[in-house]
Amino acid sequence: MKRLNYAPWLFLAPFLLLFSLFTVWPLIHSMFLSMQQTYGPGRTEWVGLHNFKFLLTDPLFWKATSNTVKFAAGSLFIQLPVALGLALLLNRPGLRGRAYFRLIFFAPSLVGMPFVAMLFAPIFARHTGLLNKTLNYFVSSWPIDFAWTQNYVMSALIIAALWMSAGFNMVYFLAALQNVSRDLIEAAEIDGAGAWHKFWHITLPEIMPIAGFVTLLSVIASFQLFELSYIMLNDSAGPDNRGLTIVMYLYQTGFEAGDLGYASSIGWVLAIMLISIALIQRRILKRHEDR
Amino acid sequence: MIKALRENIDRFLSPGALVILTIAIVTSFIVASLPARVVDGIPFWLAATAHRKAYVSMVAEWNEQKPDKKIGMTQLHSRALERRMLSGFLSGTPVADIIEANLGVVAKVFLGPINEIGFVDLTDRIHNEGIYEQINTPSFAPYTSRGRIFGLPHDVHPVLLAYRSDIVEAAGIDVSTIETWDDYFRVMRPLFRDRDGDGQPDHYLMTADDTRGDVAIMLILQAGGSIFDDNDKPNFASERNAHVLAELTTWIAGPNATCTDVPANTAAGHRQRLEGFVIGTLVPDWMAGSWKIENPGLSGKLKFMPVPAWEKGGRRTSVAGGTMIGIPKASKNFETSWEFVKYLYLNPALAKHMFENTSIISPVKTTWTESFYDEPDPFFSGQPIGRMYIEQAPDVPHRPSSPYTSAGGQKIASSLIALAQYARTNEIYDVEALEIEALQILQEEQATLERLISRNRFITEGG
Amino acid sequence: MQNRKAAANAIIYPLLVVFAIITLIPFAHMLAGALKTKFDYAATLFLPAGDGFLGIGWDRITLDNFVRLFELDIGRAMLNSLFLSSVHAILTVLFCSMGGYALAKLRFKGREFVTTLVLTALIIPGPLLLAPGFQLLYQLGLLNTYTGLLLPGLTPAFGVFLFRQAMLNGVPNELIEAARIDGAGEARIFFELVLPLVRPMMGAFLMISFMGTWNNFINPQIVLQSPDLQPLSVALNNLKGLYGTDYALIMAGTIVSISPVMCIFLLLQREFIAGLTGGAVKG
């Protein structure tokens, strides 16, 4: 039944208008912007591909990239297993107080990145910080003046991010675990399967789609790390740029030095990185599914 | 009726959602009805707390005498001031009529084309009104870009070495023989011991470590090295600088290391300083002032000596930091602002006020003969620190600025970190060997900076 | 079998308790820090030492930091955060539910195209739009205004996607058809019939939006320059270093900043989690 169907367009109007103006237009414009050099938003000069050429050999950019990759790897290989572990613990049938535990573990993710950064800055202090003092108490050889935010910035950020996000990812894993059919598990138990076997061959494959989703989300978020580092290092990249991340470099060049063109080119390189990661991840998952 | 309304709302909104809706409505009303905050008078931004305290009475006096030209002074966090100033210059957001900022922040204003620099070019006025002769010439350098001056300097900031005289004298050490750095470390060495058995030396001999690039820069400038030449080009890959970095590395790493860092602005740092964790520190005049406020427990325990020289007869001071005051081009009250700026900075009454509140000596040379600079300072065991700083003022190293000043500083800091790492990894602590590596590191860093500078179209053409 | 289960539980419970304590320690540290004076801050890890009960200096606990916060105009920043977050949340829920509804339930030419548009938009990383978006705001004269901060984010593709998912399964077509046959107008169907059916998703997305705006730092940092307009995330960061990194003050500020979100979360817990995971699990 074809009638003059304007209702859907009215419903979509806000989305379409704002999307065109504030997403599509800037997206197209950024392609041109990345080929310019600017001094503030009002003063631009055309430079062609010079930004990208410079980017390829820009040591600061590569430092930012290596830092970001280190952080993403830390998140991937530490945070996700911890989240999964917590979910497995909480998934125990008949566990009392599950709701309370879940709330406690989830609470840090409500704090918000800028506030987590402010909260953790004194924890990482040398000599007087909570972390150094605690580690020193349990392991007497731990140097009490361990310089987290000067020398081991990415490690400190991984720890802070672990605290903040483990609970968040745990919730996803928990939902996935609770969707695993009890019949499958019981069948395995009847067959005499041990806990590890149950986990590896039944649970893990069942939650693979969610795990894949959570992983992708986590890696993409890690690659866009900015606030945690910037605020914890006092609005800077830290000594020797040890805390410099890709988005922080984008922010510094675009909004502290005023070159929005270069910032745009960094943005494009970041986008390409993220799309590649998403594609690779999809490949890996597909191959796993086919097995 | 209410019940029906409640049920109706509950169809759409859970209690939490209702809370959010209520907040939205209430805050919208409040925000819409709040009047925009109007600063009383011509807006004047600054960042340094100590300065604000010193200026309060002077601004009050001005406002009393000239009620039609009131000045509204506001203190901002230095990063916030930098952001708002740059945003104002580059993006046209509101900016004050008078801005006082330190040299690191100001340098960023010089990144663009010369005629688009956000501050008014004051060069001609400074010369025509005879101000140039009144002020210590090197003080203008950090605020000069491509030959034009964009602000009045606030200070000279010579550096002296402050040491824990209570600890030193109790140990029977005589500091009068110290002329060079070698002398200093040799004379102070007996204090570098672990007497209380806690596994750590009781006293480190000076404040310095890998992350204190600012100390490296002070030492480089003292030794006659430089970071930029008079044409704003980086020239820090020099043998002199390499020598300083190599020596500094042996102070902070290896078997002869006797230096460590005490964090400057935290309660923990103050406590450590109080306990005498470090004996000596390079102290510019402003730092002396801030110690008085932030660590009053140190009073009577410190004394100054001129900075030990690199060679016998060498320079015994350095320079660190600097503040200027400028007028944005966007200002609608230039003449009044200029009048106020001169009043604040060139007024002899301010020099006294400033010194008494912050221990900072004025750049106005004619005030250097004033007697208040000779007052014995109880905090520093009765020494006349004003006079001691003024004595070093003519020797303060010249610092040509560049829009890339902070990048240059970062390169020096990175070089120090790299050199220290090299020394530790390879266990090389011989100064001559380290010099070779240092020069190489500096050359690499300089090349990177040169590339970065060459990328900037706005400076290299017509700039 | 029973024994094995009991043995496993004997390990699991203590383990969970240990992890729970570890998770809560930073909160405790923050709270204790906020109650200490600047000078006491570094001396002890939690509450100040003293002669009182349990070796704690109860008399040195102070609410001064909170008082100073409000003298430093945190109240205005709090108002700004509340305003921006709540208005953003309400408007995004409205616009995204409308868009999601059209894509889920209405048949029209171009539906496939717009759906693809939404899905593609999900891939666009935020940082890519920072620089050009900023330049656009400058050209529109919207820098340093609430409008400039709110407008670009009022209809996130993510929201449209979530509502589309929720409505695809949660709103039976027959219901809509029946209402149409009864002569109801499209708007009426949407507001009175469809929305109540997706109440959980509305609650969830309100929370997601609210939290997202509340904790956003980079956007207000770039767009808003006047302190009068700045929300807590930016304002609190500006307090740092103004008085020599007074951690006690910052801790108090952090507590004040996270409390509203925590409170609202307690009300919207279930919907929030269901909304987040629902989109993923059903996929």
Side-chain angles (χ1 to χ4, degrees):
Chain A
M1 272 237 284
K2 283 203 193 142
R3 13 177 205 159
L4 199 49
N5 215 355
Y6 60 84
W9 296 105
L10 281 181
F11 278 110
L12 280 171
F15 171 73
L16 289 174
L17 276 169
L18 291 177
F19 185 70
S20 320
L21 184 57
F22 289 109
T23 306
V24 176
W25 168 244
L27 198 61
I28 298 177
H29 185 67
S30 78
M31 287 192 259
F32 294 102
L33 196 54
S34 65
M35 295 198 264
Q36 295 173 331
Q37 189 176 87
T38 83
Y39 183 58
R43 185 85 158 78
T44 67
E45 278 221 3
W46 188 262
V47 295
L49 291 174
H50 184 76
N51 282 339
F52 291 102
K53 272 197 273 179
F54 190 83
L55 195 63
L56 282 176
T57 55
D58 182 354
L60 277 181
F61 177 71
W62 291 109
K63 181 103 203 216
T65 306
S66 90
N67 284 340
T68 310
V69 168
K70 269 192 243 174
F71 176 78
S75 290
L76 190 58
F77 295 117
I78 298 180
Q79 211 192 90
L80 292 184
V82 168
L84 182 56
L86 286 175
L88 284 170
L89 286 177
L90 278 191
N91 194 35
R92 196 100 189 123
L95 187 75
R96 273 192 320 206
R98 176 186 294 136
Y100 292 109
F101 279 118
R102 201 180 67 172
L103 182 60
I104 290 179
F105 291 132
F106 189 73
S109 54
L110 295 173
V111 176
M113 218 170 251
F115 304 113
V116 171
M118 294 179 208
L119 172 51
F120 266 79
I123 291 181
F124 286 122
R126 301 168 76 176
H127 298 283
T128 55
L130 179 61
L131 191 57
N132 278 339
K133 278 200 168 164
T134 313
L135 285 171
N136 185 260
Y137 179 77
F138 286 114
V139 180
S140 59
S141 56
W142 182 268
I144 200 160
D145 63 346
F146 192 78
W148 288 101
T149 52
Q150 280 103 345
N151 296 336
Y152 296 93
V153 182
M154 283 300 139
S155 308
L157 293 177
I158 290 175
I159 293 175
L162 175 65
W163 181 79
M164 186 175 88
S165 306
F168 183 79
N169 289 322
M170 174 199 82
V171 164
Y172 277 101
F173 281 126
L174 199 54
L177 285 174
Q178 290 182 333
N179 266 344
V180 172
S181 151
R182 285 259 59 182
D183 301 335
L184 277 178
I185 301 232
E186 274 167 17
E189 275 173 7
I190 290 174
D191 280 350
W196 178 253
H197 188 270
K198 267 192 294 180
F199 173 73
W200 191 253
H201 287 110
I202 306 220
T203 317
L204 203 53
E206 282 289 303
I207 64 171
M208 205 39 103
I210 297 270
F213 176 74
V214 169
T215 309
L216 186 61
L217 223 59
S218 183
V219 170
I220 289 184
S222 305
F223 260 78
Q224 296 178 42
L225 180 70
F226 166 64
E227 278 109 338
L228 198 60
S229 187
Y230 187 72
I231 293 181
M232 192 143 50
L233 297 175
N234 266 319
D235 292 14
S236 78
D240 204 21
N241 289 313
R242 284 175 185 150
L244 187 66
T245 66
I246 299 178
V247 176
M248 192 192 298
Y249 192 44
L250 191 159
Y251 173 83
Q252 284 178 340
T253 48
F255 300 98
E256 288 185 359
D259 189 351
L260 294 169
Y262 197 58
S264 289
S265 41
I266 297 176
W268 276 108
V269 175
L270 176 66
I272 294 175
M273 283 186 202
L274 290 178
I275 293 183
S276 317
I277 291 177
L279 287 175
I280 294 177
Q281 206 246 15
R282 228 162 134 236
R283 267 272 193 85
I284 296 181
L285 267 189
K286 267 234 164 94
R287 212 174 292 165
H288 195 270
E289 263 171 37
D290 293 341
R291 268 215 257 120
Chain B
M1 226 278 277
I2 304 272
K3 190 155 186 257
L5 188 65
R6 267 235 237 120
E7 269 170 18
N8 228 351
I9 293 181
D10 193 64
R11 275 210 303 151
F12 299 94
L13 301 171
S14 53
L18 187 58
V19 165
I20 294 184
L21 179 62
T22 319
I23 295 177
I25 296 176
V26 169
T27 54
S28 301
F29 270 116
I30 298 180
V31 161
S33 57
L34 273 181
R37 185 137 359 145
V38 177
V39 177
D40 199 14
I42 297 173
F44 165 36
W45 290 349
L46 47 57
T49 314
H51 294 199
R52 185 186 59 81
K53 287 195 187 149
Y55 296 159
V56 162
S57 56
M58 302 205 48
V59 171
E61 226 181 275
W62 169 284
N63 285 344
E64 235 183 80
Q65 289 171 3
K66 306 180 198 237
D68 56 327
K69 297 183 187 176
K70 278 181 83 165
I71 300 283
M73 181 168 69
T74 318
Q75 183 186 0
L76 306 176
H77 178 202
S78 119
R79 293 293 305 206
L81 183 134
E82 177 185 326
R83 262 193 296 278
R84 290 174 71 181
M85 177 185 77
L86 287 178
S87 174
F89 290 167
L90 298 181
S91 313
T93 54
V95 86
D97 282 33
I98 305 168
I99 299 182
E100 182 190 83
N102 73 29
L103 47 62
V105 169
V106 169
K108 295 185 185 173
V109 179
F110 296 148
L111 268 174
I114 182 84
N115 52 1
E116 293 190 23
I117 289 180
F119 283 117
V120 172
D121 179 347
L122 298 171
T123 321
D124 296 330
R125 285 190 179 246
I126 288 176
H127 284 283
N128 295 343
E129 297 184 29
I131 297 175
Y132 192 76
E133 290 73 33
Q134 286 181 46
I135 292 184
N136 183 39
T137 311
S139 296
F140 281 110
Y143 318 115
T144 311
S145 183
R146 287 156 272 189
R148 313 299 299 176
I149 307 176
F150 290 93
L152 283 190
H154 174 264
D155 39 57
V156 179
H157 288 335
V159 175
L160 293 173
L161 184 72
Y163 65 96
R164 286 297 293 267
S165 49
D166 56 338
I167 297 174
V168 166
E169 284 162 17
I173 293 180
D174 175 17
V175 304
S176 59
T177 58
I178 297 179
E179 276 185 45
T180 67
W181 281 113
D182 284 341
D183 292 342
Y184 177 80
F185 286 111
R186 186 176 32 84
V187 167
M188 294 291 186
R189 191 68 205 228
L191 293 170
F192 187 68
R193 201 162 290 169
D194 182 13
R195 282 229 180 81
D196 59 13
D198 64 351
Q200 260 192 343
D202 296 345
H203 308 290
Y204 283 86
L205 300 185
M206 206 190 59
T207 308
D209 83 357
D210 312 24
T211 63
R212 294 299 301 269
D214 57 320
V215 172
I217 293 174
M218 274 194 270
L219 292 172
I220 284 177
L221 292 175
Q222 179 202 7
S226 66
I227 307 184
F228 289 94
D229 66 19
D230 283 319
N231 291 319
D232 287 356
K233 302 245 177 320
N235 67 352
F236 53 82
S238 63
E239 280 173 16
R240 190 65 174 152
N241 291 0
H243 174 71
V244 171
L245 284 186
E247 282 268 4
L248 177 57
T249 304
T250 64
W251 300 353
I252 63 182
N256 287 325
T258 53
C259 298
T260 191
D261 184 31
V262 175
N265 286 325
T266 64
H270 293 314
R271 197 168 234 109
Q272 281 181 323
R273 206 175 277 293
L274 203 51
E275 289 165 8
F277 195 54
V278 181
I279 297 287
T281 310
L282 290 173
V283 173
D285 53 2
W286 54 265
M287 198 185 280
S290 59
W291 277 9
K292 287 182 190 172
I293 297 173
E294 303 199 338
N295 216 339
L298 285 174
S299 182
K301 301 192 166 103
L302 297 162
K303 274 194 182 155
F304 275 122
M305 69 168 90
V307 179
W310 285 94
E311 292 90 23
K312 253 181 140 65
R315 185 187 274 131
R316 304 214 51 185
T317 188
S318 185
V319 68
T323 306
M324 75 155 227
I325 196 166
I327 303 173
K329 284 182 172 136
S331 165
K332 299 183 198 65
N333 301 290
F334 180 79
E335 291 301 332
T336 314
S337 303
W338 177 236
E339 227 190 292
F340 176 74
V341 156
K342 284 187 294 183
Y343 162 76
L344 198 64
Y345 270 38
L346 305 178
N347 190 330
L350 178 73
K352 179 163 194 274
H353 201 71
M354 196 80 216
F355 181 68
E356 282 168 0
N357 278 297
T358 63
S359 306
I360 295 177
I361 65 169
S362 167
V364 179
K365 294 186 281 198
T366 46
T367 62
W368 290 355
T369 51
E370 299 283 336
S371 60
F372 60 81
Y373 284 128
D374 296 299
E375 286 289 314
D377 191 330
F379 196 86
F380 290 95
S381 311
Q383 287 181 323
I385 68 169
R387 186 56 54 200
M388 292 177 77
Y389 273 116
I390 289 178
E391 267 163 21
Q392 301 298 332
D395 280 337
V396 159
H398 180 68
R399 286 176 294 186
S401 83
S402 144
Y404 291 91
T405 298
S406 59
Q410 271 173 26
K411 295 291 177 204
I412 301 285
S414 299
S415 303
L416 177 64
I417 291 176
L419 189 62
Q421 205 163 359
Y422 171 82
R424 289 199 182 101
T425 320
N426 298 306
E427 295 197 354
I428 297 178
Y429 301 108
D430 167 52
V431 173
E432 274 175 24
L434 285 177
E435 268 177 32
I436 301 174
E437 178 69 13
L439 187 58
Q440 210 175 325
I441 295 175
L442 285 171
Q443 279 164 345
E444 280 167 24
E445 296 280 9
Q446 184 172 308
T448 315
L449 186 57
E450 280 165 349
R451 259 193 88 234
L452 182 70
I453 294 178
S454 73
R455 195 181 83 85
N456 188 339
R457 297 288 165 107
F458 300 110
I459 295 238
T460 47
E461 39 185 79
Chain C
M1 195 54 172
Q2 272 302 85
N3 283 341
R4 258 229 244 133
K5 272 217 163 109
N9 277 349
I11 305 179
I12 290 185
Y13 257 113
L15 214 54
L16 279 175
V17 169
V18 165
F19 284 130
I21 292 180
I22 294 180
T23 308
L24 289 175
I25 284 181
F27 285 115
H29 182 258
M30 175 179 71
L31 186 59
L35 296 173
K36 289 192 279 202
T37 64
K38 185 173 165 185
F39 285 110
D40 277 338
Y41 188 82
T44 56
L45 279 180
F46 292 98
L47 293 173
D51 316 308
F53 179 60
L54 287 182
I56 293 179
W58 296 100
D59 54 324
R60 295 235 283 278
I61 290 183
T62 170
L63 288 178
D64 259 0
N65 294 316
F66 292 97
V67 172
R68 267 173 60 215
L69 272 183
F70 285 95
E71 283 167 7
L72 291 170
D73 233 5
I74 278 285
R76 181 67 210 236
M78 168 77 83
L79 175 68
N80 289 332
S81 280
L82 285 172
F83 169 69
L84 290 168
S85 306
S86 57
V87 169
H88 180 256
I90 298 286
L91 290 178
T92 49
V93 162
L94 181 62
F95 294 142
C96 290
S97 58
M98 282 164 62
Y101 172 65
L103 293 182
K105 293 291 157 188
L106 298 181
R107 250 165 284 133
F108 59 101
K109 203 159 64 152
R111 186 168 96 161
E112 282 310 305
F113 174 66
V114 179
T115 309
T116 320
L117 212 58
V118 171
L119 291 175
T120 322
L122 291 180
I123 302 180
I124 301 176
L128 179 57
L129 297 175
L130 273 180
F134 179 76
Q135 199 182 42
L136 178 61
L137 286 178
Y138 168 77
Q139 287 162 346
L140 293 175
L142 289 177
L143 279 185
N144 205 33
T145 62
Y146 286 135
T147 317
L149 186 64
L150 284 175
L151 202 57
L154 275 186
T155 57
F158 178 59
V160 177
F161 173 72
L162 277 186
F163 275 105
R164 174 178 175 268
Q165 296 298 96
M167 290 179 184
L168 269 179
N169 300 322
V171 179
N173 291 336
E174 305 78 48
L175 224 61
I176 301 183
E177 283 306 319
R180 282 216 190 101
I181 291 172
D182 278 351
E186 291 298 323
R188 202 141 162 254
I189 297 180
F190 176 71
F191 282 105
E192 301 204 357
L193 198 58
V194 176
L195 280 189
L197 287 174
V198 290
R199 196 183 91 146
M201 181 50 90
M202 289 211 294
F205 199 66
L206 274 175
M207 183 74 211
I208 294 174
S209 266
F210 188 90
M211 225 174 80
T213 311
W214 187 275
N215 293 328
N216 192 342
F217 173 78
I218 194 171
N219 289 78
Q221 172 90 325
I222 293 175
V223 175
L224 297 178
Q225 297 302 327
S226 302
D228 277 359
L229 302 176
Q230 288 169 339
L232 283 169
S233 47
V234 175
L236 196 58
N237 189 42
N238 283 344
L239 280 188
K240 228 172 32 185
L242 196 54
Y243 298 102
T245 316
D246 184 351
Y247 281 126
L249 186 68
I250 303 287
M251 291 299 118
T254 317
I255 292 183
V256 164
S257 304
I258 67 180
S259 307
V261 172
M262 295 267 181
C263 294
I264 295 186
F265 175 73
L266 288 174
L267 291 172
L268 283 172
Q269 241 192 91
R270 219 153 288 161
E271 287 140 302
F272 179 60
I273 296 193
L276 271 186
T277 56
V281 173
K282 288 186 192 120

